[in-house]
Amino acid sequence: MEKLGLVRDIDLALHLPLRYEDETRITPIAALRDGDNAQVEGIVRDCEIQFRPRRQLVVKIDDGTDELWLRFLNFYPNHQKTLGVGRRVRVRGEARGGFFGREMVHPSFKGVDDDTPLAAALTPVYPTSATLPQAYLRKAVASGLQRADLSEIVPAALLPAGLMSLRDALRFLHHPTPDVSLATLEDHSHPAWQRLKFEELLAQQLSQLQAKQERALQQAPAFTVHAGGLQEKLLAALPFSLTPAQRRVVEEIALDLQRPVPMHRLLQGDVGSGKTVVAALSAAIAMNEGWQCALMAPTEILAEQHFRKLVGWLEPLGVQVAWLTGSRKGKARREMLARVASGEAGLVVGTHAVIQGEVEFARLGLAIIDEQHRFGVAQRLALRAKLQQGALEPHLLMMSATPIPRTLAMTVFADLDVSTIDELPPGRTPIVTKVFSDARRDNVILTIADEVARGRQVYWVCPLIEESETLDLQNATATHQQLCEALPDEMVGLLHGRMPSAEKAAVMALFTAGQMKVLVSTTVIEVGVDVPNASLMVIEHAERFGLSQLHQLRGRVGRGSVASVCVLVYTAPLSPTGKDRLRAMAETNDGFEIARRDLEIRGPGEFLGARQSGAPLLRFADLALDEALVHRARAVATTLLAQHPRIAEQHVLRWLGGKAEYLKA
Ligand code: ADP
Ligand code: MG
């Protein structure tokens, strides 16, 4: 129970059924159809252990309309007693046509008398774990519901009109009367569900807004933006000028950095919108005053690419850039750590190795996380702990190419400030996306040859097959082979997650330098890789990728001024969602539109990423459907925090208990 988070009475009361079983009526055996989940009642005519071929208990019951066989592969002496010949039993399970006639395998059953009453309400089926029996949980929840304090916490005047009371809603959801429409319970549209969803969203809004308030009480170094400082020098040295959107977000970040309160800002911008340079300019503000910055990327490839780019921009201006990843060991690592600890290294770039315990910064002023949704809860909590070590907390800038839909921005990410780069640098030609069946693979290979002949470069991405990294690799290796044969005069590379990092880096370097024309890869290139001369992206088994993942991958091309193409190769048959995704990809290049459709097709999982796992934060509300409720909860949360902080605290405690910490990760 503790593992399920069921500790207090209120936790039990808020543990709501997944579905219900109808034990309020008896179905005549003759009326059972295949696949029916039903309850029947009859007299036992036969009960014996048989070998057919496995040892099993086979029972025949009869209700006057017909006969039904019950089969138990696992059984105890108790079974034979209750199911003894001549006894009356009530049985529920799934009916199906068996070898000897109609049967139920492993039904639940109980002995009854002629006058044992039927259930008055539907029987709840609760989410549980393998080791916690449903019957035990059911009893625990029922008594928890009795004991729990279900009084209204939020004053009625503040609640949206027309909501059910919490007590009525909970009692109903645990034990609905048989006349209810099961559909409205299942799709959570029933008024009782509306009340629960509102409560949940309110708790979630409150805890996010509280986190924000708490942060506002922390102290951070306040920087000054100097005329003629590092930021200006960097701007002047860049080979391009910023887009208006980039200028705007740099300004927003600069304002935060000048305040003595830790920044907690998400920078979102579509793939290719130029977030890296914004990160560099932000870092320049901190470094100009002698503070250090850390930039973390989710993969070594990406971290290395950032490192090269930042070295190119910053070292000429006198900034030392250090490079730190898990694979860097021995003397080189010790030297690097010493440079970080002494403060000599102004900027430290790397993977999450950057926040490991042994890394000590002299004066960390700003931490930047690229592709923040790729980092897990554990890593984010570690980062928070790291950032909260000193008297002054560093500023935090998170970057993501997966735009957060509005509802999510208001809920799960309500504690963040958001800056958005909403335009691409000039001179980019939109990517054309084509969808091909695998049957036309040869055409796709011809297209590659064409593209290479024109001096362009090509990515070919093979899918991640989750169950088997080996299969995954075979797939990529086979494709690599095929392309090597089709393009005998060109260098065709292979990149996958299990290569040693030095080898990965060598392959990436050849591709970046333009010597390697075609790069076959598993999804390791998914995030952030930047090779402007690449103009064709082929994604094999595109139907296996999520929508935002496809969009990320597609964003690897269209980075230069040449017209780029993305070819999505699928293998029939396509599932309806698979079809929806490929259609969405072909129809739009706009990351925000993609994010909106993704939310529609799949729900919010992808955006939440790790934030969701380990944090049971939205069990009931569905952000794609409940936008109106989100707005109401937001309004009430704001009022409560401003006028009734005690009530706010009570409500959060009721809903989240000790789990609130997680939500801040
Ligand atoms: P992302 O937002 O996907 O991280 P990057 O920061 O990798 O994008 O930028 C994509 C490419 O665009 C890089 O080659 C970068 O140098 C270039 N770039 C960024 N800003 C501009 C700009 N204002 N004008 C021209 N090119 C730019
Ligand atoms: Mg990037």
Side-chain angles (χ1 to χ4, degrees):
M1 301 243 290
E2 211 173 294
K3 273 192 195 149
L4 291 175
L6 304 177
V7 180
R8 309 164 302 167
D9 289 334
I10 189 71
D11 298 331
L12 287 161
L14 293 175
H15 193 63
L16 290 176
L18 277 178
R19 58 184 178 85
Y20 303 91
E21 279 173 357
D22 189 352
E23 294 179 331
T24 64
R25 63 189 130 207
I26 303 277
T27 308
I29 292 176
L32 286 180
R33 281 163 313 175
D34 244 22
D36 275 358
N37 240 312
Q39 173 165 263
V40 301
E41 185 174 312
I43 309 289
V44 178
R45 297 292 177 214
D46 220 352
C47 175
E48 58 181 290
I49 295 170
Q50 296 185 358
F51 294 85
R52 2 158 142 166
R54 246 183 86 182
R55 184 169 179 270
Q56 52 189 274
L57 181 68
V58 180
V59 176
K60 184 168 80 177
I61 65 167
D62 176 351
D63 72 349
T65 70
D66 205 347
E67 293 174 338
L68 177 72
W69 293 96
L70 315 178
R71 287 204 288 130
F72 301 89
L73 295 165
N74 301 309
F75 57 95
Y76 304 96
N78 182 30
H79 278 65
Q80 278 157 284
K81 213 164 103 198
T82 312
L83 295 167
V85 172
R87 293 193 174 239
R88 174 176 284 271
V89 285
R90 209 171 271 171
V91 180
R92 66 166 295 118
E94 189 183 324
R96 56 185 205 201
F99 189 69
F100 297 95
R102 199 173 277 133
E103 67 173 18
M104 284 185 185
V105 179
H106 279 241
S108 59
F109 63 91
K110 63 178 176 204
V112 290
D113 300 319
D114 309 353
D115 54 359
T116 306
L118 284 163
L122 299 179
T123 310
V125 178
Y126 294 104
T128 184
S129 62
T131 49
L132 181 61
Q134 187 64 230
Y136 182 86
L137 184 56
R138 213 172 262 158
K139 270 190 208 137
V141 170
S143 59
L145 184 64
Q146 285 299 322
R147 286 190 306 260
D149 171 14
L150 303 179
S151 54
E152 298 288 326
I153 289 181
V154 180
L158 291 183
L159 286 178
L163 281 184
M164 247 170 125
S165 82
L166 181 65
R167 178 176 284 109
D168 290 349
L170 278 175
R171 294 212 168 134
F172 180 82
L173 289 175
H174 284 288
H175 303 290
T177 45
D179 57 349
V180 69
S181 140
L182 271 179
T184 64
L185 288 183
E186 267 155 27
D187 70 8
H188 292 191
S189 64
H190 190 280
W193 271 119
Q194 294 296 311
R195 173 66 206 243
L196 266 291
K197 290 199 235 184
F198 174 79
E199 294 280 300
E200 172 175 58
L201 287 167
L202 180 60
Q204 197 261 346
Q205 290 286 311
L206 284 171
S207 79
Q208 297 282 314
L209 294 175
Q210 271 170 348
K212 195 169 181 170
Q213 284 185 342
E214 274 169 34
R215 195 158 25 243
L217 299 176
Q218 304 296 314
Q219 305 261 310
F223 307 125
T224 320
V225 181
H226 296 281
L230 192 57
Q231 195 195 32
E232 242 172 51
K233 288 187 194 141
L234 174 55
L235 263 178
L238 288 174
F240 49 75
S241 54
L242 297 186
T243 63
Q246 283 171 319
R247 236 175 284 141
R248 176 170 43 75
V249 300
V250 167
E251 194 54 39
E252 286 166 4
I253 294 166
L255 283 178
D256 282 359
L257 293 178
Q258 293 172 70
R259 299 174 56 223
V261 173
M263 170 172 77
H264 196 66
R265 185 170 285 277
L266 176 70
L267 172 61
Q268 56 179 12
D270 209 347
V271 280
S273 61
K275 294 184 290 296
T276 318
V277 69
V278 173
L281 289 164
S282 311
I285 295 177
M287 294 188 299
N288 190 52
E289 305 218 316
W291 289 78
Q292 291 170 295
C293 297
L295 172 63
M296 271 179 292
T299 67
E300 273 197 29
I301 290 184
L302 188 53
E304 160 132 31
Q305 185 186 292
H306 281 329
F307 175 67
R308 284 178 198 289
K309 189 163 259 179
L310 291 164
V311 164
W313 284 339
L314 291 166
E315 284 203 344
L317 304 177
V319 176
Q320 285 205 31
V321 186
W323 162 241
L324 212 58
T325 67
S327 64
R328 178 150 239 205
K329 300 252 153 62
K331 184 152 170 271
R333 182 178 178 82
R334 280 196 302 278
E335 276 173 14
M336 203 59 84
L337 288 175
R339 285 176 55 207
V340 177
S342 71
E344 217 180 313
L347 178 61
V348 184
V349 180
T351 56
H352 65 273
V354 168
I355 47 158
Q356 269 157 14
E358 52 171 342
V359 185
E360 290 296 339
F361 288 86
R363 301 173 88 193
L364 183 59
L366 168 67
I368 304 172
I369 313 184
D370 196 14
E371 308 294 346
Q372 60 90 25
H373 58 291
R374 296 268 141 186
F375 287 94
V377 163
Q379 287 161 348
R380 287 206 276 229
L381 286 173
L383 174 69
R384 261 168 57 89
K386 187 98 194 160
L387 295 188
Q388 288 169 351
Q389 274 172 354
L392 290 184
E393 186 172 325
H395 297 278
L396 179 60
L397 177 65
M398 292 166 269
M399 308 200 287
S400 174
T402 306
I404 304 174
R406 228 171 83 77
T407 30
L408 278 181
M410 284 188 58
T411 53
V412 185
F413 298 95
D415 60 331
L416 289 185
D417 296 308
V418 178
S419 291
T420 306
I421 308 183
D422 52 8
E423 68 186 322
L424 296 179
R428 305 244 171 108
T429 339
I431 307 165
V432 175
T433 299
K434 298 178 180 169
V435 180
F436 280 117
S437 144
D438 195 20
R440 296 174 63 191
R441 196 183 173 94
D442 287 348
N443 289 22
V444 176
I445 294 178
L446 287 178
T447 316
I448 292 183
D450 266 3
E451 210 61 18
V452 170
R454 280 193 274 161
R456 306 277 173 233
Q457 288 167 277
V458 179
Y459 292 104
W460 183 302
V461 178
C462 300
L464 183 76
I465 300 170
E466 293 206 350
E467 317 83 75
S468 160
E469 240 181 280
T470 326
L471 263 183
D472 198 18
L473 205 53
Q474 271 174 11
N475 185 350
T477 319
T479 302
H480 177 237
Q481 193 85 40
Q482 191 183 13
L483 293 182
C484 285
E485 282 161 20
L487 301 163
D489 301 329
E490 303 296 345
M491 193 193 293
V492 179
L494 176 63
L495 191 68
H496 59 78
R498 284 204 278 174
M499 276 160 58
S501 29
E503 233 176 89
K504 276 193 227 168
V507 170
M508 262 334 278
L510 283 169
F511 192 69
T512 310
Q515 276 165 280
M516 182 182 287
K517 292 297 189 270
V518 181
L519 180 61
V520 178
S521 141
T522 56
T523 44
V524 287
I525 63 150
E526 182 187 338
V527 284
V529 177
D530 184 30
V531 179
N533 189 46
S535 60
L536 174 63
M537 160 73 61
V538 180
I539 304 176
E540 197 172 344
H541 280 298
E543 75 279 4
R544 293 193 194 155
F545 292 93
L547 192 47
S548 61
Q549 211 182 1
L550 287 173
H551 182 64
Q552 282 272 340
L553 284 167
R554 176 169 63 183
R556 297 311 109 215
V557 295
R559 307 199 136 226
S561 53
V562 289
S564 294
V565 177
C566 172
V567 177
L568 303 175
V569 181
Y570 68 88
T571 308
L574 275 179
S575 70
T577 35
K579 219 174 263 174
D580 283 349
R581 284 199 293 255
L582 299 190
R583 181 175 315 123
M585 285 294 291
E587 282 174 5
T588 179
N589 269 321
D590 175 350
F592 281 86
E593 177 63 15
I594 295 269
R596 199 186 57 70
R597 295 211 198 177
D598 201 22
L599 191 61
E600 243 170 51
I601 298 175
R602 289 185 337 112
E606 177 81 2
F607 305 98
L608 298 176
R611 191 171 263 227
Q612 191 180 41
S613 61
L617 72 163
L618 287 178
R619 291 180 284 168
F620 309 136
D622 178 339
L623 293 176
L625 298 175
D626 296 323
E627 191 172 346
L629 272 181
V630 170
H631 287 276
R632 294 158 108 192
R634 168 70 150 219
V636 176
T638 313
T639 313
L640 281 181
L641 278 180
Q643 295 167 16
H644 310 277
R646 292 283 303 278
I647 296 179
E649 207 166 301
Q650 259 179 301
H651 183 80
V652 172
L653 197 64
R654 171 184 269 181
W655 268 85
L656 303 170
K659 296 169 204 148
E661 261 314 290
Y662 261 127
L663 303 181
K664 296 176 194 161

